[in-house]
Amino acid sequence: MKVIGLGLQKGGVGKTSITVALATELAKKSKVLLIDADPQGNASGALLKEIGYELADALLNNCSADKPVTKTEIKNLWIMPTKPLESEGKEKSKLRIYKKNVATEEPFVMDDLAKEFQDQFDYCIFDTSPDFSTFEENVFFACDEIIPVMKCDTFSADGLTIFLENVNDFKRRRRCDKAQIKTIVINEHNASFALDTNIKNAILKQEGYTKIIIPQDQAFKKSQAFQKTIEETGAKQNTLKAIAELAKTVRG
């Protein structure tokens, strides 16, 4: 089983949308487990109408690891969900409580969790929060590959630089030989905007990474609102091609 984590230390870049789209694309040919490791729970809200056990229940030993794993309506795609913050509230969010009080004591817990499913799935995809705390480090420690997702704006470009530095620092401190960054996703690119093009071109000049450019597309918002795939909500052909290319890079 290949373990992939998507992340960036900036919110609003469309990371969860890309995570769900990637998992859906991989599920066309393989069995996929998406683990929602973002306390906001947006990936879970986009894929499930109801949530019983959640990721934090397994982490807090309230249930066995397999209990939260839930089949989605998408063929070959399962999710270990996190209840959305709007339904739980920040103070009651079990995953936020785990992050704050327990994560520092369990540096290998996410790696152990992923290994629980290595014989059941072909891919495990982690959605993460726009943070780089100990909990996110624990997630990335479990990953074979980390995929940064950014938008074509100055803050995202700065966020990418900081994220790459933090990953390198984390790998050094934790003596992590995995967690390779091979691909960068440039999301919501609008070719009619000069700033978008300038930032895109600057990222394209960075050597050593495959770059996937995903155009601005309302299908992502529609897919979340209606719990449909981006294909079902009329995504642009360039969007579908980019997601397929991203899945191809993950497959290797």
Side-chain angles (χ1 to χ4, degrees), residues 80-99:
M80 182 176 283
T82 289
K83 292 180 180 178
L85 279 183
E86 60 264 27
S87 66
E88 293 295 285
K90 290 185 178 181
E91 299 305 317
K92 294 183 179 179
S93 168
K94 293 179 184 177
L95 192 56
R96 283 175 63 91
I97 293 170
Y98 176 85
K99 280 186 63 172

Side-chain angles (χ1 to χ4, degrees), residues 41-175:
N42 290 334
S44 303
L47 289 169
L48 299 177
K49 293 181 173 64
E50 295 181 1
I51 297 174
Y53 287 108
E54 58 180 316
L55 167 63
D57 287 315
L59 295 176
L60 293 167
N61 296 314
N62 295 334
C63 67
S64 59
D66 62 305
K67 281 287 186 181
V69 176
T70 306
K71 180 73 176 71
T72 72
E73 294 185 2
I74 298 169
K75 184 179 179 181
N76 289 330
L77 178 59
W78 285 256
I79 185 170
M80 182 176 283
T82 289
K83 292 180 180 178
L85 279 183
E86 60 264 27
S87 66
E88 293 295 285
K90 290 185 178 181
E91 299 305 317
K92 294 183 179 179
S93 168
K94 293 179 184 177
L95 192 56
R96 283 175 63 91
I97 293 170
Y98 176 85
K99 280 186 63 172
K100 181 178 179 180
N101 298 323
V102 187
T104 56
E105 302 171 8
E106 300 182 336
F108 308 113
V109 67
M110 303 307 285
D111 191 39
D112 292 340
L113 181 67
K115 287 175 179 176
E116 290 267 355
F117 304 103
Q118 61 185 355
D119 296 326
Q120 300 176 46
F121 296 95
D122 302 300
Y123 295 94
C124 174
I125 311 293
F126 280 100
D127 190 26
T128 64
S129 71
D131 195 1
F132 212 108
S133 68
T134 300
F135 179 70
E136 282 70 38
E137 288 192 3
N138 294 349
V139 171
F140 293 139
F141 187 86
C143 294
D144 299 302
E145 184 175 347
I146 301 172
I147 301 176
V149 179
M150 62 169 288
K151 285 173 64 175
C152 285
D153 61 43
T154 303
F155 292 139
S156 289
D158 290 343
L160 175 64
T161 299
I162 295 169
F163 186 77
L164 295 175
E165 291 173 352
N166 283 340
V167 169
N168 286 333
D169 178 64
F170 137 74
K171 291 180 65 177
R172 177 187 58 79
R173 287 186 289 100
R174 299 280 291 268
R175 298 184 181 181

Side-chain angles (χ1 to χ4, degrees), residues 4-17:
I4 309 293
L6 285 84
L8 196 76
Q9 279 168 273
K10 184 184 182 306
V13 297
K15 172 183 53 59
T16 294
S17 297

